[in-house]
Amino acid sequence: SQELEQSPQSLIVQEGKNLTINCTSSKTLYGLYWYKQKYGEGLIFLMMLQKGGEEKSHEKITAKLDEKKQQSSLHITASQPSHAGIYLCGADIEDKIIFGKGTRLHILP
Amino acid sequence: DAGVTQSPTHLIKTRGQQVTLRCSPKSGHDTVSWYQQALGQGPQFIFQYYEEEERQRGNFPDRFSGHQFPNYSSELNVNALLLGDSALYLCASRYLGLAGRYEQYFGPGTRLTVT
């Protein structure tokens, strides 16, 4: 079965700094979702990547799927308090999503 | 346009009881999936409904059952509740985007506490 590992598990960043979150898959990714979640709330769709080398941006958040399609990275530029939360990557496996455990992002003012 | 909605927001039940959670997908979305998210974990796939039938199922016991109605809304039922069923239950509906890719949108979730 496919597994996703996210790193780091937790991240504390000074406001205004850039940061990167990684998502590594045990198998080839045919569709990779990135979601953001505030504690105890639902998941907010950020973007979906499908093609190797594909890169997408949403406001100050950029995600890329590597050429071999086994790793994705999510990069936040000039972080703001509103970026705080849990970031989840999910692999699209036959219309269901297999999720990583998430990366908890804290932004220090 | 309302997004995916779920009810109730919070629920407290006792071990052994039964619970029903409800989900309304985004307008135009015909496929609904349910996920269970334990504290500190990523969501786990329970099952998916399309055209009122269960299309696929994750590794959950038969105590977890569901239903989809003609208007695409869905229910998740859990019988004989265990303490370990305490979690955030998320509903997602699927949309075929302009790029020809499916995108899944999630509701706010129902927090179930079993005591």
Side-chain angles (χ1 to χ4, degrees):
Chain A
S1 61
Q2 188 156 8
E3 294 183 355
L4 295 181
E5 185 171 331
Q6 288 188 237
S7 62
Q9 288 184 313
S10 181
L11 193 54
I12 302 174
V13 174
Q14 197 76 37
E15 182 179 353
K17 296 294 185 183
N18 303 336
L19 63 105
T20 299
I21 297 169
N22 293 304
C23 175
T24 301
S25 173
S26 58
K27 296 183 180 180
T28 300
L29 293 162
Y30 293 99
L32 190 283
Y33 288 92
W34 281 101
Y35 290 92
K36 178 186 173 185
Q37 184 179 32
K38 292 286 190 181
Y39 177 74
E41 299 181 7
L43 277 60
I44 299 168
F45 175 83
L46 295 176
M47 56 197 86
M48 186 196 185
L49 305 167
Q50 222 167 11
K51 298 176 183 177
E54 184 176 11
E55 185 172 307
K56 282 189 174 180
S57 293
H58 172 73
E59 298 178 345
K60 292 187 177 181
I61 302 175
T62 301
K64 184 173 181 179
L65 183 61
D66 77 352
E67 291 289 344
K68 294 183 179 180
K69 297 175 69 175
Q70 284 202 257
Q71 188 173 43
S72 179
S73 58
L74 184 138
H75 184 77
I76 298 178
T77 304
S79 58
Q80 301 169 354
S82 61
H83 289 129
I86 301 169
Y87 288 81
L88 291 154
C89 66
D92 187 342
I93 309 293
E94 298 174 348
D95 295 338
K96 65 178 181 285
I97 305 175
I98 306 299
F99 284 95
K101 291 187 177 181
T103 294
R104 284 144 188 82
L105 174 62
H106 305 274
I107 307 293
L108 297 177
Chain B
D1 175 30
V4 180
T5 60
Q6 292 186 243
S7 63
T9 306
H10 296 89
L11 206 50
I12 299 175
K13 290 286 188 178
T14 305
R15 275 179 298 177
Q17 285 188 316
Q18 178 264 344
V19 68
T20 297
L21 310 181
R22 295 175 178 81
C23 170
S24 291
K26 277 175 71 78
S27 176
H29 293 199
D30 57 7
T31 303
V32 173
S33 300
W34 287 91
Y35 291 78
Q36 179 196 66
Q37 186 178 25
L39 202 61
Q41 302 294 317
Q44 300 285 319
F45 175 77
I46 303 175
F47 43 52
Q48 183 183 80
Y49 277 85
Y50 172 70
E51 292 189 341
E52 302 179 50
E53 290 192 359
E54 184 180 292
R55 282 186 68 194
Q56 52 179 324
R57 189 181 182 90
N59 189 25
F60 279 80
D62 292 344
R63 298 187 297 109
F64 289 77
S65 63
H67 187 78
Q68 186 179 33
F69 299 93
N71 66 353
Y72 307 126
S73 67
S74 176
E75 288 182 348
L76 164 65
N77 301 294
V78 187
N79 294 323
L81 284 167
L82 304 173
L83 294 178
D85 294 332
S86 295
L88 181 68
Y89 288 85
L90 296 161
C91 169
S93 68
R94 194 180 70 173
Y95 164 72
L96 183 59
L98 293 175
R101 303 176 183 180
Y102 283 107
E103 297 175 352
Q104 298 220 27
Y105 293 87
F106 283 78
T110 294
R111 170 70 62 187
L112 172 64
T113 301
V114 182
T115 62

